[in-house]
Each structure stands twice: as structure tokens, then as C-alpha cells.
Amino acid sequence: MTSPALSATLTQAADQGRVCSVAAASQRDLRACVAAYPRLFPDPPIDATMLNALALSTAFIAPWCSADDLRTATRASLWVTAEDWHIDSVATTPEAARATVAACLSVAAGDPPAARDDLGRFLADIRTDLATRPAFRDLHGLWQRELRRMLDAELREWQWKSARAADPSDLPSPDDYAANAAGYGATWVNVSHWIATQAVDSGEQLDELITASLAVERILRLVNDLASYRRDLAAGDLNILMLGVDENSVRRQISARIRSCHALLDSVQARHPQQAVYLRREIGFTASFYGVADFWGDGDDH
């Protein structure tokens, strides 16, 4: 006769095995995307390990989903990786950075991408897939808004980085930096996922989840910075620890933000129980992951 403890262990192992199977299928899809748009994904830093980490994180944050359910989320995460790399490392002038943002926003609005605009073409693939969902027509505006918020944050960080290169004392305040967390990309990915899985059917519902997701994203930005500080120093990227704030202060801020965020999610739970769990798992998984590793990997120049 199986003991309750053994039964629970077997059930947990089975659940984890299923999630890893979903992640494996998602990784195969990500590899196909990389093969379709090789210029977007230089290796290094975007290697098989990163694709595996993206697939695993998405699968464990939403363990009730199939690989098909998660396809938009994993592809959107991969697109954010390409966009981040493009603006940080390819766009060497403010005009180039602004042109990249303008081209992406044009594609998001429904315009066809330029023939050699691989970033726009990959975004168009994601948009085309979302357009098959019945609610996308009504939610398209919010999806565009969050993409704009993310890209505007990326531009702002590009400008801060450029100003710092010219004058090392020219830095944003820690509060301004933390408020610019949308450049991390999580909320736009979450919005894409919720539309793709038909988790919401009205703008009011999606707007409520966006507010909660933005609060989560500010936590993820700070957690990421603690993990990537040495890499950011080497690459010349900004990091909260470069702005006159020490690690202990950042950890206290993270703890305070987590408590506040869980209180916010308590109010969301009654109306959106699964999405509230999704956001809680996003905090827990990401904080634990960055305690050990970094998506970009140690020693990368990004």
C-alpha cells in the first residue's frame, strides 16, 4: 500500500515531469524561430541554454498550460530578447534606436514589415497568431500600449546609457530607474499570453491584470539587477547598484515590493484566480532562478 507521503512525492514528480516535457516542446519551437530569423539571434549570447531557460521559466510559471498554450508567451519572450539585443548592441545612434522602435510600433499597428526587417517580421508573426483570437480586436489597443510602454522604457535606458558614457556622473535617480522597469518586457509578454489563452475578454479585465503585472515587473527588474551586476559593469549597461544604492537596500526594497504586490494580488484573486497565481509564480520562480543563474549567462558581453 502506498503511503500518503510516497503518493504525494510521486504526484509531484509526475507534475514536474509534465512541465519539463512541455518546456522541451517549447524549446523545439524556439529553435525553429531562431532558425527562421538567424540574424536576430547571434550565438553567443543567445544560445541553446538561454532557449532552454526561457522555455522552462514559462512552463513552470504556468504549469497548467500545454506547449500550444504557451507558444505565444515563449515566442514573445524570445522576441523581447531580440529587441533588447538589437537596441542595446546594434543601434549605435539615437536615430537608429528610435527608428527601430517606430518600425516595431508600425508592425504592431498592422502595417507590413520591411522585407529585411527581421525584428518586425517576427513581431508580425506573433501579431498574426494573436489576431486569430476572438478578443484581439477589442484588446489590440492595450497590447499595442504595453508594447509602446516597453519600447519607450528601452529608449529611455538607451538615452541614460549614452549620457553616462559621455559623463559618468550623469545618472538617473534610483526611483526613476525603478519606475522604468517596463523595459524588462514581462508585462507585454504577459498581456500577449493572456490574450492568446483567452484568459480575459474585456479591456477592463486586462487593464486590471496589467496594473498587477507592472507591480510584479518592478520586482523582477530589481531581482535581475542583483544577478547581472558584474555583467552589466563589463558591458556598460545600467544597474540599480550603480546608482548609489547598496545590495542590502535593494534586497529590502524587493521584500517590501513583494509584500505590497501580494496584497494587490489578494484583491485580484477573486476575479482572476488563475492569473493571480500566474503572477505569484512569476515572482517566486524568477526570484529563485536569479538567485543562482542569469538568462544571458555569466561572462557574456551583453
Side-chain angles (χ1 to χ4, degrees):
M1 183 175 180
T2 303
S3 70
L6 178 57
S7 179
T9 297
L10 293 174
T11 298
Q12 182 182 48
D15 290 343
Q16 292 170 345
R18 179 193 168 278
V19 172
C20 289
S21 176
V22 167
S26 294
Q27 188 184 7
R28 291 188 188 97
D29 181 66
L30 293 179
R31 288 203 303 266
C33 293
V34 169
Y37 298 107
R39 288 181 298 183
L40 287 182
F41 305 107
D43 178 5
I46 303 171
D47 57 10
T49 300
M50 173 184 276
L51 299 185
N52 185 48
L54 286 178
L56 280 168
S57 66
T58 309
F60 272 99
I61 288 168
W64 50 84
C65 286
S66 68
D68 284 345
D69 293 334
L70 294 176
R71 184 177 63 179
T72 294
T74 53
R75 289 185 176 188
S77 295
L78 184 62
W79 186 87
V80 169
T81 299
E83 169 270 321
D84 180 50
W85 174 261
H86 196 91
I87 290 182
D88 272 3
S89 302
V90 178
T92 57
T93 66
E95 293 78 16
R98 286 194 294 267
T100 297
V101 169
C104 291
L105 293 175
S106 174
V107 170
D111 296 330
R116 290 187 58 79
D117 178 11
D118 286 355
L119 193 63
R121 290 171 58 215
F122 190 18
L123 180 60
D125 291 344
I126 294 169
R127 185 191 180 280
T128 297
D129 196 35
L130 284 173
T132 65
R133 305 314 194 267
F136 187 64
R137 185 179 65 177
D138 295 330
L139 302 178
H140 179 215
L142 288 175
W143 182 76
Q144 285 182 270
R145 186 190 74 184
E146 293 313 310
L147 179 65
R148 180 182 294 276
R149 192 198 305 267
M150 181 186 77
L151 294 174
D152 283 349
E154 289 268 23
L155 269 183
R156 194 171 296 113
E157 188 159 338
W158 193 99
Q159 291 160 356
W160 287 339
K161 181 179 175 180
S162 178
R164 176 173 175 258
D167 177 2
S169 67
D170 191 351
L171 296 168
S173 71
D175 287 345
D176 286 345
Y177 178 84
N180 200 50
Y184 184 81
T187 295
W188 180 71
V189 171
N190 291 344
V191 168
S192 300
H193 171 68
W194 289 326
I195 294 172
T197 56
Q198 303 181 67
V200 293
D201 53 23
S202 75
E204 182 180 9
Q205 292 174 350
L206 185 55
D207 229 359
E208 182 180 16
L209 290 175
I210 286 170
T211 297
S213 180
L214 290 170
V216 170
E217 190 161 36
R218 294 183 190 103
I219 296 167
L220 305 186
R221 172 76 276 171
L222 296 177
V223 168
N224 171 264
D225 277 13
L226 291 182
S228 64
Y229 177 59
R230 285 182 296 177
R231 172 168 57 78
D232 291 338
L233 274 178
D237 289 339
L238 280 176
N239 186 294
I240 189 71
L241 296 176
M242 300 172 188
L243 307 179
V245 183
D246 64 35
E247 183 174 336
N248 287 335
S249 296
V250 174
R251 292 192 183 281
R252 286 194 296 270
Q253 184 180 160
I254 290 170
S255 295
R257 287 184 181 274
I258 288 175
R259 289 193 298 271
S260 176
C261 194
H262 281 310
L264 174 60
L265 290 171
D266 286 344
S267 69
V268 172
Q269 186 92 30
R271 293 177 296 282
H272 308 285
Q274 192 171 78
Q275 285 66 54
V277 171
Y278 173 97
L279 290 170
R280 293 188 201 275
R281 290 183 65 88
E282 188 167 35
I283 296 171
F285 181 93
T286 307
S288 181
F289 180 90
Y290 279 128
V292 178
D294 180 7
F295 282 99
W296 291 97
D298 291 337
D300 289 337
D301 292 332
H302 178 77

